Amino acid sequence: MNTHVQSSLETVPPSSPAVKPFAEVVFNLPLKEAFTYIIPPQFLGKVLVGMRVLVPFGRRRITGYVVNLADKWDKPIALKAIADLPDTEPIVSTEILNLTRWLGEYYQSSWGEAIRCSLPAGIDDESREVFSVTEQEGSLSKSALNILTYVRQQGSATLKQCQKELGKNFSAYTLARLKQDGFLKASHQTRKSKVGHQFIKSVRLANPLPDDKEIALLLKRSPKQKSVFDLIKQKEISLPELQTRIPKSQAALRSLKEKNLVEVFTEKKERDAFVPEDALTRPFGSSLTFTPEQKAVFKKLNLAIEAGRFESFLLHGVTGSGKTEIYIRCIQRVLEMGKTAIMMVPEISLTPQTVERFRQRFGDRVAILHSGLSQTERYLEWKKIRDEKVSIAVGARSAVFAPFKNLGIVVIDEEHDGSYKQDSNPRYHARDTAVMRARSLNAVVVMGSATPSLESTQNTRLGKYQYLSLASRVGERMLPLVSLVDMRRERKEFKNFAMLSGTLRSAIRDRLSRKEQIFLFLNRRGTARFVFCPDCGYVLECAHCSVTLTFHGREDRLLCHYCNFRARMPNHCVECHGEVIRFSGFGTQKLEEEVQKLFPDARVTRLDRDTTRGRDSFADMHRNMNAGNIDILIGTQMITKGHDFPNVTLVGVVHADLSLNIPDFRSCERSFQLLTQVAGRAGRGQVPGRVIIQTNNPDHYMFEFVREHDVNAFHEKELKLRQQLNYPPFTRLVAIEITSENESLGQSTAAKLGRVLTQRATSGVEILGPSKAALYQIQNKFRWHLILRGQSMQTLQGILTNCKELGEFKSASSGKIKISIDVDPFNLL
């Protein structure tokens, strides 16, 4: 948790048994206030705090969340009434309401937005604005004509449909102007959610039925129809069950319908997930034996668990030290006490081994929550938790909101990982949110990592977290030997301009001869980083973003990794028409090609976003690695997280300087974490591991700490630098991003907002900027940053709260300007 976050969770009053005629409702919209609605007579006594309601809002009918019930309304404003109730009981508990209220206030979002992110995706009905063309006439721009032509052809279209079809020719601002000027008219449609319910076709006897004699006559010559009819006669049956009981019965069923003996009907049923009745009472799987070091750490954790008091622990354990077994044993102890547990991992789809270990130990007590599931699957897992059918949730960032009623422990594995910070509104950090939730419930928080974040390390020094350490690997295995290769010397002295140094090539050859496995890490996709003309120096850039296009050789396409813009590879320079086009830099695709040429007999697999589109990609890779079907695994940072393959004895880092060159004050810390984590994949079995790091900057101080596996010394050095430069964790930051399709409008708004904030700033608060973002243009939108820096987050929050102009900018900028606030930003690009 960040150094000075001390806010407590305010308590939402529970629903009173007395009937109250008014409901205060919040929405998944950037509106901080609650809106009051009349509860109509048919819903009196049925509306409870934490329930969803369908209400009129402007011209739309949208889903809101009830946060309070009131006895009276004394303002001279006519109220609208609640239109419908999607729920029969609260879908959000009082405890989660309290948590989301804090989250909305701290991270500068609305309460409704915070509630929405705590629920499974797709659960709410959606209100969609549908556009159609009017008879209005007038001169229009090319962009406006494109939109009008498309909508006229379709008859009607939504904003998303226009955006998808028109691509780079679409502008949301132009669409808004067409609506404002009367060329388009808008209506609102509500699309019902199908996530929580399913529609099942079933069959039953017709009513009325002929008499028994006539039925016998109708079925006399068809034994198949008779057997189907006899089955339906016993009970109503769903069509899928009928097909299971009597295969190939479709024709017989059609004939029975034509003879008016049966009828097919559709039933709406609430979805339910199957969990064995004895899931919560089955014995646990067998535990592994603790090392003395693990035993000492578990003893301290167990004391806090049994005391039932809030405590936060930072478990710093080297790679392969057995942190996961400690997590499992702590969760087992919590379950034995009749409580529940949340286990958070950075990206669960990347760590199938963790899920498998929990399944083996805890069986059907586990629910899995992650983005790799469909919306319906996620809803069913969430429902298992809410219905108390399971006692453990394993998941990524959103698992922090798992609706358990008696939470005893929250475990956050790889607590340093950036994926715990949400990059869209509300921009919450799951680690800090978990600490606040545990504090309110007197639960224990365990944050584990081989490379803890500097924020968490500083919190142990301030006494906010207790520090626990696992300094040795399990089984007395040695940490891998790390060596550096100076690629400047490789080129200058050995005339080697290839991607792999002679040292790394020879190490790969040696490991292949011993039937051992190899990881090659390169944190960049594609074949060539950029494409340029050697005659005029022109570099091919994305048409919508201020980044170069990456060449992907397999598809023979240029691709933007930010907006997915694709272009054909040109035959000549588009600027000077020069005939020679050159490639510079390289990515995982190019590395794969080179490795296959150098080692034609090796079985090579690549793991990056381009090769893992399917849901089972990671599981397949794990199976093949464990079965020994892969000799060399090439990958981006996906291969750095949580993988445990005993036969991997060599890790090669092909270009270690990539993350060091990012213009962000955290770039050195992230590089250290990335290299230490990927190095930790080597030597986890009986054979000692080796790590070879190729770099153009071997004198950088960070590499010395990586080579020595000295996390504490790195933290000491980096914390001193941060303190000198006045950066977190010694100060607090709030980032404001101004985004616009109109460059001059965005620039003037950013400048105006900068002046206003400078006037509002109190002593000890710095306003940095506005300045162009490092990635200035993404998806045709220009970006500016304003940074608020100070010692106290409370002071920074106060400036934002009191800055009425900020709210005016946000409300007046619909369609033209987007202003977003990021409290404790993790990424400043």
Side-chain angles (χ1 to χ4, degrees), residues 753-768:
L753 186 54
R755 287 194 295 271
V756 170
L757 289 170
T758 302
Q759 291 166 7
R760 296 281 188 280
T762 54
S763 175
V765 174
E766 292 178 86
I767 308 295
L768 308 175

Side-chain angles (χ1 to χ4, degrees), residues 697-750:
N697 190 10
D699 299 324
H700 194 288
Y701 69 87
M702 182 265 298
F703 289 115
E704 186 58 37
F705 299 118
V706 172
R707 194 159 52 187
E708 298 297 325
H709 303 282
D710 199 339
V711 177
N712 292 329
F714 172 76
H715 282 172
E716 201 68 50
K717 169 93 174 174
E718 194 68 11
L719 283 169
K720 280 180 184 174
L721 287 172
R722 294 274 185 97
Q723 192 165 23
Q724 288 167 11
L725 297 169
N726 209 24
Y727 278 125
F730 300 99
T731 53
R732 309 303 302 281
L733 298 181
V734 174
I736 300 174
E737 183 177 281
I738 301 96
T739 308
S740 176
E741 289 182 358
N742 185 320
E743 188 173 12
S744 59
L745 179 62
Q747 188 168 4
S748 63
T749 303

